[in-house]
Every structure is written in C-alpha cells, then in structure tokens.
Amino acid sequence: MFLSSLSALSGLQFGLDHITPFAWGILILLAILSTLSWSALLVKWHLLRRTERANRRFLSGFHDSPHPLAIYLTKEQVEHSPLYFLYHSACRELAFHLVGEEEPGRSFSARLQGAGRITPSQMGSVHNALERSVGSAANKLELRLGLVATVISVAPLLGILGTVVGLLDVFAALDLDSKASLAPGVSSALITTIAALLVVMPSVAGYNGVVNRIRGHIVRMDNFASELSGLFDRHFVDHRKVEEGLPSLGNLGAPAMPTPSASQRRPSRI
C-alpha cells in the first residue's frame, strides 16, 4: 500500500514536470473556478448561519408576544430573518384590510380595537402575500448557487478537454516511435483530469450541504407561513355565514324586448 502511494506520487511529480502549456492553461482556469465556487459556498454558509440565529431570535419574541400583531405594532425589526420578512409582509396586508393602512401610525392601535374582523376573501389576500414572501425569501437564499452549479458542470468538461488534447499530442508523437516522447503527453492529459476531479468532488460535497440547509429553511418558512395564517384566521376572520337568498328566475321576470318601430311593423313588399 505504501509503495503504491509512493509510485502514485512519483507519477504525479513526473506529470507536473512534463506538463504542456495548454494543460497549464486548463489548470489555471480550474483554479479560478474552484476559487469562485468556494468563495460563493463560504459566503452562503456564513449567511445561513446568520439566518438561523436571526430566525431563532424572531421566533422567541413572536411566541412570547401577547398578541399576533404585537411585534408589528412595536416596529421591532429582526434583520436577516426570513421568518420576520414573512411576518411583516402578512401583517402589512392584514392591516390594510383591517384599518386601511399598511404601516402602523399613532392611532393604529385604537383603530385596530374597533376594526372588527375581515372576510375570508380578504384573508385570501393575506395568504397570497405570504406565498409571495416565501418565494421571494427562497430566491434570496438560493442566490449565487447557480455559480457553484456551473463550476460543477464545467470543471469535468475542462478536465476531459485537457485529456483529449494530451492524447492528441500522444497520437502525434506515435510516428517518432519513442517512449520518451509519449510519456509527457500522457502524463499531461492525466494531470488535467485529476485536477478537474479535485475541483468537482469537494464542490459537490459543499454544494449539497448548502442546498440541504436551504431546503430546511424553506420548509421552516412554509411551516411558519401555515402557522401564521392559521393564527390570523382564528383572530381576525369572520366565519359567520351570511344568509343571502338569491331571487328565483320566476321572480326576476322575462327580459324586456325592444319595441319595433313603425317601419319595422310594415309588411315588406316583394
């Protein structure tokens, strides 16, 4: 096992010593893509950690508040929390239907006391606001992940390109019938493939980890949107059935027909 590892390292060193200029270009491009990919992943990882802390802080205050609109009325903002973004968007829509204002003013609390309840159709607008907010927050969480996905897709192709070009160099050297001329081309081709794999494998692992955490955030946003919708529905929606009898067709009467003019009543002459 140790001898095989030494031979692999010596083969790698041989390949690096005889690498072609084209392969160096492929390696430099792979290094740039890897740097961009991991920069995006590290920034996203830091953002997700900050988002988790902000969501815990918001949920703690929300569940301890005495009224569903208490945090909205105090204008207490929780930055970097998608759940607060959902809550604020839903409260703005609800406040508009309750008192006709989206942002709480000085008389907002007093007007809210006498506002009564909203209809189920108006609550549907609050539902729509929540759904739009979930989609917008999910897009923000997934921002810049397209760059990582592009690197994961492009890096293997670059490795294959380097391999193909290296093998073409080998075929071009076959006429010389020299082992020494074949070795640099083969080793250069394999070096680019190894570099592509070294770029792709860690990026795939990091990408999957970030995507799984983002999916967890989206699930929590959906659950909170359902919880908030149910809470607003219990506190602010009037579910009483309004009995409105529709008139029958007989009571409506026959539709009025237009009265023909004198010229229209005359029989036509043939």
Side-chain angles (χ1 to χ4, degrees), residues 159-196:
I160 293 173
L161 176 62
T163 302
V164 171
V165 173
L167 292 178
L168 289 176
D169 292 338
V170 173
F171 294 147
L174 286 177
D175 295 337
L176 301 177
D177 195 16
S178 173
K179 184 182 293 185
S181 61
L182 294 179
V186 174
S187 60
S188 176
L190 296 179
I191 285 293
T192 56
T193 304
I194 293 172

PDB file of all heavy atoms in Angstrom, residues 159-196:
ATOM      1  N   GLY A 159     -11.606  19.131 -17.677  1.00  0.00           N
ATOM      2  CA  GLY A 159     -10.680  18.014 -17.496  1.00  0.00           C
ATOM      3  C   GLY A 159     -10.657  17.086 -18.687  1.00  0.00           C
ATOM      4  O   GLY A 159      -9.586  16.632 -19.122  1.00  0.00           O
ATOM      5  N   ILE A 160     -11.837  16.820 -19.235  1.00  0.00           N
ATOM      6  CA  ILE A 160     -11.904  15.961 -20.421  1.00  0.00           C
ATOM      7  C   ILE A 160     -11.229  16.637 -21.611  1.00  0.00           C
ATOM      8  O   ILE A 160     -10.536  15.993 -22.413  1.00  0.00           O
ATOM      9  CB  ILE A 160     -13.372  15.623 -20.731  1.00  0.00           C
ATOM     10  CG1 ILE A 160     -13.956  14.753 -19.619  1.00  0.00           C
ATOM     11  CG2 ILE A 160     -13.496  14.909 -22.069  1.00  0.00           C
ATOM     12  CD1 ILE A 160     -15.443  14.499 -19.758  1.00  0.00           C
ATOM     13  N   LEU A 161     -11.419  17.959 -21.714  1.00  0.00           N
ATOM     14  CA  LEU A 161     -10.764  18.694 -22.804  1.00  0.00           C
ATOM     15  C   LEU A 161      -9.247  18.567 -22.702  1.00  0.00           C
ATOM     16  O   LEU A 161      -8.560  18.321 -23.702  1.00  0.00           O
ATOM     17  CB  LEU A 161     -11.182  20.160 -22.758  1.00  0.00           C
ATOM     18  CG  LEU A 161     -10.511  21.089 -23.777  1.00  0.00           C
ATOM     19  CD1 LEU A 161     -10.860  20.653 -25.199  1.00  0.00           C
ATOM     20  CD2 LEU A 161     -10.928  22.534 -23.538  1.00  0.00           C
ATOM     21  N   GLY A 162      -8.711  18.738 -21.501  1.00  0.00           N
ATOM     22  CA  GLY A 162      -7.272  18.587 -21.326  1.00  0.00           C
ATOM     23  C   GLY A 162      -6.789  17.182 -21.638  1.00  0.00           C
ATOM     24  O   GLY A 162      -5.714  16.996 -22.224  1.00  0.00           O
ATOM     25  N   THR A 163      -7.600  16.189 -21.258  1.00  0.00           N
ATOM     26  CA  THR A 163      -7.238  14.798 -21.553  1.00  0.00           C
ATOM     27  C   THR A 163      -7.201  14.540 -23.061  1.00  0.00           C
ATOM     28  O   THR A 163      -6.279  13.904 -23.583  1.00  0.00           O
ATOM     29  CB  THR A 163      -8.237  13.850 -20.877  1.00  0.00           C
ATOM     30  OG1 THR A 163      -8.247  14.097 -19.475  1.00  0.00           O
ATOM     31  CG2 THR A 163      -7.869  12.404 -21.132  1.00  0.00           C
ATOM     32  N   VAL A 164      -8.216  15.041 -23.748  1.00  0.00           N
ATOM     33  CA  VAL A 164      -8.294  14.819 -25.196  1.00  0.00           C
ATOM     34  C   VAL A 164      -7.117  15.484 -25.903  1.00  0.00           C
ATOM     35  O   VAL A 164      -6.479  14.882 -26.793  1.00  0.00           O
ATOM     36  CB  VAL A 164      -9.630  15.344 -25.739  1.00  0.00           C
ATOM     37  CG1 VAL A 164      -9.632  15.324 -27.267  1.00  0.00           C
ATOM     38  CG2 VAL A 164     -10.787  14.508 -25.208  1.00  0.00           C
ATOM     39  N   VAL A 165      -6.812  16.719 -25.515  1.00  0.00           N
ATOM     40  CA  VAL A 165      -5.693  17.418 -26.152  1.00  0.00           C
ATOM     41  C   VAL A 165      -4.383  16.697 -25.863  1.00  0.00           C
ATOM     42  O   VAL A 165      -3.516  16.547 -26.737  1.00  0.00           O
ATOM     43  CB  VAL A 165      -5.640  18.877 -25.677  1.00  0.00           C
ATOM     44  CG1 VAL A 165      -4.384  19.569 -26.183  1.00  0.00           C
ATOM     45  CG2 VAL A 165      -6.870  19.629 -26.156  1.00  0.00           C
ATOM     46  N   GLY A 166      -4.211  16.203 -24.629  1.00  0.00           N
ATOM     47  CA  GLY A 166      -2.990  15.472 -24.303  1.00  0.00           C
ATOM     48  C   GLY A 166      -2.857  14.185 -25.089  1.00  0.00           C
ATOM     49  O   GLY A 166      -1.766  13.833 -25.556  1.00  0.00           O
ATOM     50  N   LEU A 167      -3.966  13.487 -25.253  1.00  0.00           N
ATOM     51  CA  LEU A 167      -3.916  12.248 -26.037  1.00  0.00           C
ATOM     52  C   LEU A 167      -3.651  12.531 -27.514  1.00  0.00           C
ATOM     53  O   LEU A 167      -3.013  11.729 -28.195  1.00  0.00           O
ATOM     54  CB  LEU A 167      -5.230  11.483 -25.864  1.00  0.00           C
ATOM     55  CG  LEU A 167      -5.471  10.910 -24.457  1.00  0.00           C
ATOM     56  CD1 LEU A 167      -6.823  10.222 -24.380  1.00  0.00           C
ATOM     57  CD2 LEU A 167      -4.359   9.940 -24.073  1.00  0.00           C
ATOM     58  N   LEU A 168      -4.155  13.662 -28.002  1.00  0.00           N
ATOM     59  CA  LEU A 168      -3.843  14.024 -29.379  1.00  0.00           C
ATOM     60  C   LEU A 168      -2.344  14.271 -29.550  1.00  0.00           C
ATOM     61  O   LEU A 168      -1.762  13.930 -30.593  1.00  0.00           O
ATOM     62  CB  LEU A 168      -4.630  15.270 -29.780  1.00  0.00           C
ATOM     63  CG  LEU A 168      -6.142  15.091 -29.977  1.00  0.00           C
ATOM     64  CD1 LEU A 168      -6.803  16.429 -30.273  1.00  0.00           C
ATOM     65  CD2 LEU A 168      -6.421  14.092 -31.103  1.00  0.00           C
ATOM     66  N   ASP A 169      -1.721  14.857 -28.529  1.00  0.00           N
ATOM     67  CA  ASP A 169      -0.269  15.020 -28.577  1.00  0.00           C
ATOM     68  C   ASP A 169       0.437  13.665 -28.621  1.00  0.00           C
ATOM     69  O   ASP A 169       1.460  13.495 -29.297  1.00  0.00           O
ATOM     70  CB  ASP A 169       0.208  15.819 -27.360  1.00  0.00           C
ATOM     71  CG  ASP A 169      -0.267  17.261 -27.403  1.00  0.00           C
ATOM     72  OD1 ASP A 169      -0.588  17.745 -28.504  1.00  0.00           O
ATOM     73  OD2 ASP A 169      -0.315  17.903 -26.325  1.00  0.00           O
ATOM     74  N   VAL A 170      -0.123  12.700 -27.889  1.00  0.00           N
ATOM     75  CA  VAL A 170       0.450  11.348 -27.902  1.00  0.00           C
ATOM     76  C   VAL A 170       0.337  10.735 -29.290  1.00  0.00           C
ATOM     77  O   VAL A 170       1.295  10.147 -29.815  1.00  0.00           O
ATOM     78  CB  VAL A 170      -0.253  10.466 -26.859  1.00  0.00           C
ATOM     79  CG1 VAL A 170       0.203   9.011 -26.982  1.00  0.00           C
ATOM     80  CG2 VAL A 170       0.042  10.975 -25.456  1.00  0.00           C
ATOM     81  N   PHE A 171      -0.825  10.858 -29.909  1.00  0.00           N
ATOM     82  CA  PHE A 171      -1.003  10.296 -31.249  1.00  0.00           C
ATOM     83  C   PHE A 171      -0.078  10.973 -32.259  1.00  0.00           C
ATOM     84  O   PHE A 171       0.417  10.338 -33.196  1.00  0.00           O
ATOM     85  CB  PHE A 171      -2.455  10.449 -31.695  1.00  0.00           C
ATOM     86  CG  PHE A 171      -3.413   9.640 -30.870  1.00  0.00           C
ATOM     87  CD1 PHE A 171      -4.703  10.099 -30.628  1.00  0.00           C
ATOM     88  CD2 PHE A 171      -3.031   8.426 -30.326  1.00  0.00           C
ATOM     89  CE1 PHE A 171      -5.593   9.358 -29.874  1.00  0.00           C
ATOM     90  CE2 PHE A 171      -3.912   7.678 -29.574  1.00  0.00           C
ATOM     91  CZ  PHE A 171      -5.195   8.139 -29.345  1.00  0.00           C
ATOM     92  N   ALA A 172       0.141  12.260 -32.053  1.00  0.00           N
ATOM     93  CA  ALA A 172       1.043  12.967 -32.960  1.00  0.00           C
ATOM     94  C   ALA A 172       2.480  12.481 -32.806  1.00  0.00           C
ATOM     95  O   ALA A 172       3.269  12.530 -33.762  1.00  0.00           O
ATOM     96  CB  ALA A 172       0.976  14.469 -32.701  1.00  0.00           C
ATOM     97  N   ALA A 173       2.823  11.977 -31.614  1.00  0.00           N
ATOM     98  CA  ALA A 173       4.188  11.508 -31.364  1.00  0.00           C
ATOM     99  C   ALA A 173       4.388  10.039 -31.716  1.00  0.00           C
ATOM    100  O   ALA A 173       5.498   9.521 -31.589  1.00  0.00           O
ATOM    101  CB  ALA A 173       4.554  11.741 -29.902  1.00  0.00           C
ATOM    102  N   LEU A 174       3.332   9.343 -32.125  1.00  0.00           N
ATOM    103  CA  LEU A 174       3.466   7.919 -32.426  1.00  0.00           C
ATOM    104  C   LEU A 174       4.403   7.675 -33.603  1.00  0.00           C
ATOM    105  O   LEU A 174       5.072   6.641 -33.673  1.00  0.00           O
ATOM    106  CB  LEU A 174       2.084   7.324 -32.732  1.00  0.00           C
ATOM    107  CG  LEU A 174       1.171   7.115 -31.515  1.00  0.00           C
ATOM    108  CD1 LEU A 174      -0.177   6.582 -31.973  1.00  0.00           C
ATOM    109  CD2 LEU A 174       1.809   6.148 -30.527  1.00  0.00           C
ATOM    110  N   ASP A 175       4.464   8.606 -34.541  1.00  0.00           N
ATOM    111  CA  ASP A 175       5.325   8.411 -35.691  1.00  0.00           C
ATOM    112  C   ASP A 175       6.799   8.395 -35.301  1.00  0.00           C
ATOM    113  O   ASP A 175       7.629   7.818 -35.998  1.00  0.00           O
ATOM    114  CB  ASP A 175       5.080   9.512 -36.730  1.00  0.00           C
ATOM    115  CG  ASP A 175       3.671   9.416 -37.298  1.00  0.00           C
ATOM    116  OD1 ASP A 175       3.089   8.308 -37.236  1.00  0.00           O
ATOM    117  OD2 ASP A 175       3.154  10.448 -37.757  1.00  0.00           O
ATOM    118  N   LEU A 176       7.118   9.046 -34.183  1.00  0.00           N
ATOM    119  CA  LEU A 176       8.511   9.082 -33.748  1.00  0.00           C
ATOM    120  C   LEU A 176       8.957   7.767 -33.127  1.00  0.00           C
ATOM    121  O   LEU A 176      10.154   7.509 -33.014  1.00  0.00           O
ATOM    122  CB  LEU A 176       8.701  10.221 -32.733  1.00  0.00           C
ATOM    123  CG  LEU A 176       8.351  11.629 -33.247  1.00  0.00           C
ATOM    124  CD1 LEU A 176       8.527  12.641 -32.118  1.00  0.00           C
ATOM    125  CD2 LEU A 176       9.219  11.991 -34.433  1.00  0.00           C
ATOM    126  N   ASP A 177       7.976   6.959 -32.720  1.00  0.00           N
ATOM    127  CA  ASP A 177       8.273   5.640 -32.150  1.00  0.00           C
ATOM    128  C   ASP A 177       9.261   5.769 -30.982  1.00  0.00           C
ATOM    129  O   ASP A 177      10.253   5.060 -30.890  1.00  0.00           O
ATOM    130  CB  ASP A 177       8.844   4.691 -33.218  1.00  0.00           C
ATOM    131  CG  ASP A 177       8.794   3.239 -32.726  1.00  0.00           C
ATOM    132  OD1 ASP A 177       8.063   2.971 -31.737  1.00  0.00           O
ATOM    133  OD2 ASP A 177       9.486   2.411 -33.324  1.00  0.00           O
ATOM    134  N   SER A 178       8.942   6.718 -30.086  1.00  0.00           N
ATOM    135  CA  SER A 178       9.820   6.947 -28.940  1.00  0.00           C
ATOM    136  C   SER A 178       8.996   6.990 -27.683  1.00  0.00           C
ATOM    137  O   SER A 178       8.015   7.742 -27.597  1.00  0.00           O
ATOM    138  CB  SER A 178      10.581   8.267 -29.111  1.00  0.00           C
ATOM    139  OG  SER A 178      11.297   8.572 -27.943  1.00  0.00           O
ATOM    140  N   LYS A 179       9.366   6.198 -26.720  1.00  0.00           N
ATOM    141  CA  LYS A 179       8.653   6.172 -25.441  1.00  0.00           C
ATOM    142  C   LYS A 179       8.811   7.496 -24.710  1.00  0.00           C
ATOM    143  O   LYS A 179       7.913   7.970 -24.026  1.00  0.00           O
ATOM    144  CB  LYS A 179       9.169   5.031 -24.588  1.00  0.00           C
ATOM    145  CG  LYS A 179       8.418   4.867 -23.256  1.00  0.00           C
ATOM    146  CD  LYS A 179       9.005   3.755 -22.416  1.00  0.00           C
ATOM    147  CE  LYS A 179       8.757   2.421 -23.093  1.00  0.00           C
ATOM    148  NZ  LYS A 179       9.214   1.291 -22.235  1.00  0.00           N
ATOM    149  N   ALA A 180       9.981   8.098 -24.841  1.00  0.00           N
ATOM    150  CA  ALA A 180      10.217   9.359 -24.144  1.00  0.00           C
ATOM    151  C   ALA A 180       9.306  10.462 -24.653  1.00  0.00           C
ATOM    152  O   ALA A 180       8.925  11.361 -23.912  1.00  0.00           O
ATOM    153  CB  ALA A 180      11.678   9.766 -24.301  1.00  0.00           C
ATOM    154  N   SER A 181       8.941  10.429 -25.920  1.00  0.00           N
ATOM    155  CA  SER A 181       8.061  11.458 -26.467  1.00  0.00           C
ATOM    156  C   SER A 181       6.605  11.199 -26.124  1.00  0.00           C
ATOM    157  O   SER A 181       5.782  12.111 -26.169  1.00  0.00           O
ATOM    158  CB  SER A 181       8.230  11.538 -27.980  1.00  0.00           C
ATOM    159  OG  SER A 181       7.870  10.296 -28.570  1.00  0.00           O
ATOM    160  N   LEU A 182       6.229   9.955 -25.801  1.00  0.00           N
ATOM    161  CA  LEU A 182       4.852   9.630 -25.449  1.00  0.00           C
ATOM    162  C   LEU A 182       4.535   9.972 -23.998  1.00  0.00           C
ATOM    163  O   LEU A 182       3.417  10.381 -23.674  1.00  0.00           O
ATOM    164  CB  LEU A 182       4.584   8.137 -25.689  1.00  0.00           C
ATOM    165  CG  LEU A 182       4.638   7.647 -27.134  1.00  0.00           C
ATOM    166  CD1 LEU A 182       4.366   6.158 -27.186  1.00  0.00           C
ATOM    167  CD2 LEU A 182       3.622   8.398 -27.975  1.00  0.00           C
ATOM    168  N   ALA A 183       5.470   9.804 -23.109  1.00  0.00           N
ATOM    169  CA  ALA A 183       5.209   9.965 -21.685  1.00  0.00           C
ATOM    170  C   ALA A 183       4.736  11.358 -21.304  1.00  0.00           C
ATOM    171  O   ALA A 183       3.763  11.494 -20.541  1.00  0.00           O
ATOM    172  CB  ALA A 183       6.457   9.589 -20.886  1.00  0.00           C
ATOM    173  N   PRO A 184       5.340  12.450 -21.777  1.00  0.00           N
ATOM    174  CA  PRO A 184       4.849  13.766 -21.362  1.00  0.00           C
ATOM    175  C   PRO A 184       3.407  14.035 -21.774  1.00  0.00           C
ATOM    176  O   PRO A 184       2.637  14.615 -21.009  1.00  0.00           O
ATOM    177  CB  PRO A 184       5.813  14.739 -22.053  1.00  0.00           C
ATOM    178  CG  PRO A 184       7.049  13.938 -22.273  1.00  0.00           C
ATOM    179  CD  PRO A 184       6.588  12.544 -22.558  1.00  0.00           C
ATOM    180  N   GLY A 185       3.022  13.619 -22.963  1.00  0.00           N
ATOM    181  CA  GLY A 185       1.651  13.853 -23.410  1.00  0.00           C
ATOM    182  C   GLY A 185       0.638  13.106 -22.571  1.00  0.00           C
ATOM    183  O   GLY A 185      -0.399  13.655 -22.189  1.00  0.00           O
ATOM    184  N   VAL A 186       0.927  11.836 -22.262  1.00  0.00           N
ATOM    185  CA  VAL A 186       0.003  11.038 -21.447  1.00  0.00           C
ATOM    186  C   VAL A 186      -0.100  11.614 -20.043  1.00  0.00           C
ATOM    187  O   VAL A 186      -1.193  11.769 -19.477  1.00  0.00           O
ATOM    188  CB  VAL A 186       0.459   9.568 -21.411  1.00  0.00           C
ATOM    189  CG1 VAL A 186      -0.403   8.770 -20.449  1.00  0.00           C
ATOM    190  CG2 VAL A 186       0.407   8.972 -22.799  1.00  0.00           C
ATOM    191  N   SER A 187       1.043  11.920 -19.439  1.00  0.00           N
ATOM    192  CA  SER A 187       1.023  12.450 -18.073  1.00  0.00           C
ATOM    193  C   SER A 187       0.321  13.798 -18.009  1.00  0.00           C
ATOM    194  O   SER A 187      -0.427  14.081 -17.066  1.00  0.00           O
ATOM    195  CB  SER A 187       2.460  12.576 -17.555  1.00  0.00           C
ATOM    196  OG  SER A 187       3.199  13.462 -18.387  1.00  0.00           O
ATOM    197  N   SER A 188       0.498  14.656 -19.013  1.00  0.00           N
ATOM    198  CA  SER A 188      -0.173  15.948 -19.050  1.00  0.00           C
ATOM    199  C   SER A 188      -1.677  15.772 -19.162  1.00  0.00           C
ATOM    200  O   SER A 188      -2.452  16.489 -18.514  1.00  0.00           O
ATOM    201  CB  SER A 188       0.356  16.781 -20.210  1.00  0.00           C
ATOM    202  OG  SER A 188      -0.345  18.004 -20.306  1.00  0.00           O
ATOM    203  N   ALA A 189      -2.100  14.791 -19.959  1.00  0.00           N
ATOM    204  CA  ALA A 189      -3.535  14.536 -20.110  1.00  0.00           C
ATOM    205  C   ALA A 189      -4.145  14.078 -18.792  1.00  0.00           C
ATOM    206  O   ALA A 189      -5.241  14.510 -18.416  1.00  0.00           O
ATOM    207  CB  ALA A 189      -3.765  13.493 -21.192  1.00  0.00           C
ATOM    208  N   LEU A 190      -3.451  13.221 -18.089  1.00  0.00           N
ATOM    209  CA  LEU A 190      -3.984  12.702 -16.824  1.00  0.00           C
ATOM    210  C   LEU A 190      -3.969  13.764 -15.730  1.00  0.00           C
ATOM    211  O   LEU A 190      -4.828  13.755 -14.844  1.00  0.00           O
ATOM    212  CB  LEU A 190      -3.180  11.482 -16.398  1.00  0.00           C
ATOM    213  CG  LEU A 190      -3.279  10.273 -17.353  1.00  0.00           C
ATOM    214  CD1 LEU A 190      -2.424   9.124 -16.848  1.00  0.00           C
ATOM    215  CD2 LEU A 190      -4.726   9.843 -17.521  1.00  0.00           C
ATOM    216  N   ILE A 191      -2.998  14.678 -15.751  1.00  0.00           N
ATOM    217  CA  ILE A 191      -2.934  15.720 -14.734  1.00  0.00           C
ATOM    218  C   ILE A 191      -4.171  16.610 -14.786  1.00  0.00           C
ATOM    219  O   ILE A 191      -4.756  16.967 -13.759  1.00  0.00           O
ATOM    220  CB  ILE A 191      -1.649  16.560 -14.907  1.00  0.00           C
ATOM    221  CG1 ILE A 191      -0.438  15.765 -14.416  1.00  0.00           C
ATOM    222  CG2 ILE A 191      -1.747  17.869 -14.148  1.00  0.00           C
ATOM    223  CD1 ILE A 191      -0.419  15.513 -12.930  1.00  0.00           C
ATOM    224  N   THR A 192      -4.604  16.984 -15.977  1.00  0.00           N
ATOM    225  CA  THR A 192      -5.794  17.832 -16.087  1.00  0.00           C
ATOM    226  C   THR A 192      -7.042  17.116 -15.595  1.00  0.00           C
ATOM    227  O   THR A 192      -7.920  17.729 -14.982  1.00  0.00           O
ATOM    228  CB  THR A 192      -5.988  18.274 -17.544  1.00  0.00           C
ATOM    229  OG1 THR A 192      -6.063  17.114 -18.394  1.00  0.00           O
ATOM    230  CG2 THR A 192      -4.841  19.159 -18.002  1.00  0.00           C
ATOM    231  N   THR A 193      -7.139  15.807 -15.851  1.00  0.00           N
ATOM    232  CA  THR A 193      -8.284  15.037 -15.356  1.00  0.00           C
ATOM    233  C   THR A 193      -8.279  14.986 -13.838  1.00  0.00           C
ATOM    234  O   THR A 193      -9.325  15.141 -13.192  1.00  0.00           O
ATOM    235  CB  THR A 193      -8.253  13.614 -15.938  1.00  0.00           C
ATOM    236  OG1 THR A 193      -8.209  13.687 -17.358  1.00  0.00           O
ATOM    237  CG2 THR A 193      -9.489  12.847 -15.515  1.00  0.00           C
ATOM    238  N   ILE A 194      -7.110  14.760 -13.245  1.00  0.00           N
ATOM    239  CA  ILE A 194      -7.009  14.722 -11.787  1.00  0.00           C
ATOM    240  C   ILE A 194      -7.391  16.079 -11.188  1.00  0.00           C
ATOM    241  O   ILE A 194      -8.121  16.155 -10.191  1.00  0.00           O
ATOM    242  CB  ILE A 194      -5.579  14.323 -11.367  1.00  0.00           C
ATOM    243  CG1 ILE A 194      -5.299  12.883 -11.770  1.00  0.00           C
ATOM    244  CG2 ILE A 194      -5.382  14.505  -9.870  1.00  0.00           C
ATOM    245  CD1 ILE A 194      -3.852  12.464 -11.565  1.00  0.00           C
ATOM    246  N   ALA A 195      -6.914  17.153 -11.803  1.00  0.00           N
ATOM    247  CA  ALA A 195      -7.240  18.483 -11.284  1.00  0.00           C
ATOM    248  C   ALA A 195      -8.735  18.756 -11.360  1.00  0.00           C
ATOM    249  O   ALA A 195      -9.325  19.337 -10.432  1.00  0.00           O
ATOM    250  CB  ALA A 195      -6.472  19.554 -12.067  1.00  0.00           C
ATOM    251  N   ALA A 196      -9.373  18.330 -12.441  1.00  0.00           N
ATOM    252  CA  ALA A 196     -10.819  18.534 -12.571  1.00  0.00           C
ATOM    253  C   ALA A 196     -11.573  17.772 -11.486  1.00  0.00           C
ATOM    254  O   ALA A 196     -12.536  18.284 -10.899  1.00  0.00           O
ATOM    255  CB  ALA A 196     -11.287  18.095 -13.956  1.00  0.00           C
TER     256      ALA A 196
END
